[in-house]
């Protein structure tokens, strides 16, 4: 409940394979942070698969356990506090 009120949720980010490893995903996250600040949120949260956890960690997110998404699949809960 707190996450939904005080934190912005990123529901989906994807970069077409031929454009990966060029910094586009990180740029998208920076834009999301701008909106979270504008909306006076404490941070951003999202769910992801295990193979992408390191990408989010490189962008300042930390893993806070797991949860079951709306499709019944387990995802890692990633959270980033913002100033």
């Amino acid at each position: 409940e707190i996450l939904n009120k005080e934190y912005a949720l990123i529901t989906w980010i994807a970069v077409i394979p031929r454009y990966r490893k060029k910094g586009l995903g990180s740029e998208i996250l920076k834009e999301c942070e701008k909106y979270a600040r504008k909306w006076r949120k404490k941070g951003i949260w999202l769910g992801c698969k295990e193979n992408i956890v390191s990408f989010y960690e490189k962008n300042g997110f930390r893993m806070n356990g797991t949860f079951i998404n709306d499709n019944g699949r387990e995802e890692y809960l990633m959270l980033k506090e913002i100033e």
Side-chain angles (χ1 to χ4, degrees), residues 36-81:
R37 283 187 184 87
K38 179 180 177 181
W39 299 329
R40 295 189 168 98
K41 298 294 183 178
K42 290 184 177 182
I44 299 171
W45 75 279
L46 57 90
C48 71
K49 295 178 183 177
E50 184 177 13
N51 66 326
I52 199 77
V53 167
S54 63
F55 165 76
Y56 288 110
E57 288 176 334
K58 289 176 190 173
N59 283 280
F61 285 77
R62 70 180 195 283
M63 187 172 42
N64 283 324
T66 61
F67 69 99
I68 303 300
N69 68 18
D70 292 338
N71 295 321
R73 295 187 182 123
E74 185 176 52
E75 291 188 343
Y76 289 88
L77 174 63
M78 305 300 292
L79 182 68
K80 182 173 184 177
E81 304 286 339

Side-chain angles (χ1 to χ4, degrees), residues 7-40:
Y7 291 79
L9 167 63
I10 297 175
T11 56
W12 187 263
I13 291 179
V15 177
I16 296 170
R18 70 175 181 240
Y19 294 109
R20 292 180 186 162
K21 305 289 186 192
K22 299 179 187 301
L24 295 174
S26 296
E27 288 300 316
I28 292 168
L29 290 174
K30 287 177 188 173
E31 287 299 312
C32 292
E33 284 183 45
K34 288 180 187 178
Y35 279 97
R37 283 187 184 87
K38 179 180 177 181
W39 299 329
R40 295 189 168 98

